[in-house]
Amino acid sequence: MVRYSKGAFRELVRDYDVDIAYTPMILADVFKSSAFARQDYTTNNSDCPVVVQFAAHNPTDFAQAAELVAPYADGIDLNCGCPQKWAYKECIGAYLSERPEAVQDMLHAIKSAVNIPCSIKIRKHPSDMRKTVELVRRAEKMGVDWITVHGRTRHQKSTEPVDYEAIRLVKESVSIPVLANGGIFSISDADTMYYKTAVNGVMSARGLLQNPALFAGYAQTPLTSVEKYVNLALAYGTPFFILHHHLIFMLESVMSSVERKTFNCLSSTPAILDHLLFYYGIKCTL
């Protein structure tokens, strides 16, 4: 989740049965070159296990970024699944899901550079699942510790069905753990994914943004979760736009259209706190 899975949100979802939390996708070349950029990643003793997710297009940047962050992380992930057009043009994200040689080179570099677990997150190939199988088998040979696969291509919309058979094929093609991603918005969705693919774990992104408590069995975000998040965000010094956007996601299912319009126009943290107190009785102070 670009921008959103920062420290406050990671701490929140750990209270609701999330076992492993990932950072937002970080650009390896910027991270390794800029001390200022490195300040964007913060962690603490309760943020465990945390996987730092990098986007990279060459082995040197990836390895150097990983070396810098390894003492403060429990795992490193190479994002080969981001479908955004800008990422593809920069030869990162889903661009790599179609280029097993490049992924192999980067995995070789990171395995030589750090001694903590590493993974890759991929999408199914746009036209030929044999290439996806080739990619994951190469990754396994290079010593990757687990693989996460999103059951859609980079061209597919998030509203389109997830390809369970593609995920199952990945699971059957390697002997290391495989996690599944895509279309997880409830415990029922997670159960269906397990049943149809036999994976070792399930990952959620948009589902957790809308309902951070989904893995604890909640059908929608409980107000106690909203209050927890706001207090954590204030304690962490979370920027206003991130706080605002998180709450837009979390309150989407309970807001009326009129309230949504009002909330979307709020422009300061005090205004958000006043709104939460008025509408929901949630008391938070700066």
Side-chain angles (χ1 to χ4, degrees):
M1 292 183 282
V2 177
R3 292 187 300 273
Y4 293 115
S5 54
K6 292 182 181 291
F9 190 69
R10 296 198 301 272
E11 184 167 338
L12 174 70
V13 296
R14 292 184 196 281
D15 286 342
Y16 295 100
D17 295 345
V18 166
D19 297 310
I20 301 173
Y22 283 55
T23 68
M25 185 177 74
I26 299 169
L27 299 177
D29 57 348
V30 177
F31 189 87
K32 63 101 174 176
S33 301
S34 168
F36 178 78
R38 290 194 288 276
Q39 294 176 15
D40 197 41
Y41 170 59
T42 58
T43 188
N44 54 48
N45 291 336
S46 64
D47 188 23
C48 179
V50 60
V51 177
V52 177
Q53 178 187 182
F54 282 116
H57 57 77
N58 70 71
T60 301
D61 288 344
F62 185 38
Q64 290 180 356
E67 282 183 302
L68 288 168
V69 85
Y72 315 102
D74 301 291
I76 303 289
D77 180 72
L78 176 62
N79 185 305
C80 305
C82 179
Q84 297 184 51
K85 291 181 179 178
W86 70 266
Y88 198 86
K89 289 180 179 178
E90 294 293 326
C91 303
I92 59 176
Y95 178 91
L96 296 174
S97 280
E98 303 168 31
R99 289 160 177 83
E101 297 87 356
V103 174
Q104 180 174 319
D105 290 344
M106 281 191 272
L107 290 177
H108 176 76
I110 192 175
K111 280 294 183 178
S112 301
V114 301
N115 192 31
I116 62 174
C118 68
S119 67
I120 59 171
K121 183 176 183 294
I122 67 170
R123 284 179 176 259
K124 58 174 285 192
H125 191 275
S127 59
D128 189 349
M129 276 303 297
R130 290 174 298 180
K131 294 185 178 180
T132 301
V133 170
E134 178 191 357
L135 172 61
V136 297
R137 285 177 173 169
R138 284 195 186 209
E140 182 178 31
K141 287 180 179 179
M142 294 309 302
V144 75
D145 294 280
W146 76 96
I147 294 167
T148 304
V149 56
H150 189 118
R152 299 186 184 96
T153 73
R154 70 180 180 89
H155 303 291
Q156 289 182 286
K157 296 179 180 179
S158 59
T159 53
E160 295 184 55
V162 170
D163 188 341
Y164 294 115
E165 289 304 313
I167 297 172
R168 177 178 279 276
L169 179 59
V170 170
K171 171 59 180 170
E172 293 174 347
S173 299
V174 294
S175 59
I176 56 176
V178 173
L179 310 184
N181 181 220
I184 305 298
F185 290 89
S186 67
I187 285 291
S188 177
D189 292 335
D191 290 341
T192 299
M193 181 68 81
Y194 277 117
Y195 175 76
K196 292 190 174 182
T197 65
V199 290
N200 303 96
V202 170
M203 175 186 286
S204 178
R206 291 183 303 116
L208 279 177
L209 285 178
Q210 293 179 13
N211 178 10
L214 81 84
F215 284 128
Y218 289 85
Q220 63 184 35
T221 305
L223 291 181
T224 52
S225 178
V226 176
E227 183 175 354
K228 281 182 183 179
Y229 174 69
V230 174
N231 285 320
L232 285 168
L234 295 176
Y236 274 83
T238 302
F240 166 78
F241 82 93
I242 294 179
L243 168 65
H244 191 208
H245 283 196
H246 266 297
L247 293 174
I248 288 172
F249 287 123
M250 292 166 68
L251 294 169
E252 182 179 17
S253 63
V254 298
M255 282 184 178
S256 67
S257 59
V258 173
E259 186 196 346
R260 190 175 297 113
K261 289 179 181 178
T262 300
F263 192 86
N264 289 351
C265 292
L266 298 179
S267 58
S268 70
T269 298
I272 285 178
L273 301 186
D274 288 343
H275 185 100
L276 294 176
L277 179 61
F278 179 80
Y279 279 92
Y280 306 105
I282 293 175
K283 297 179 181 180
C284 301
T285 57
L286 285 169

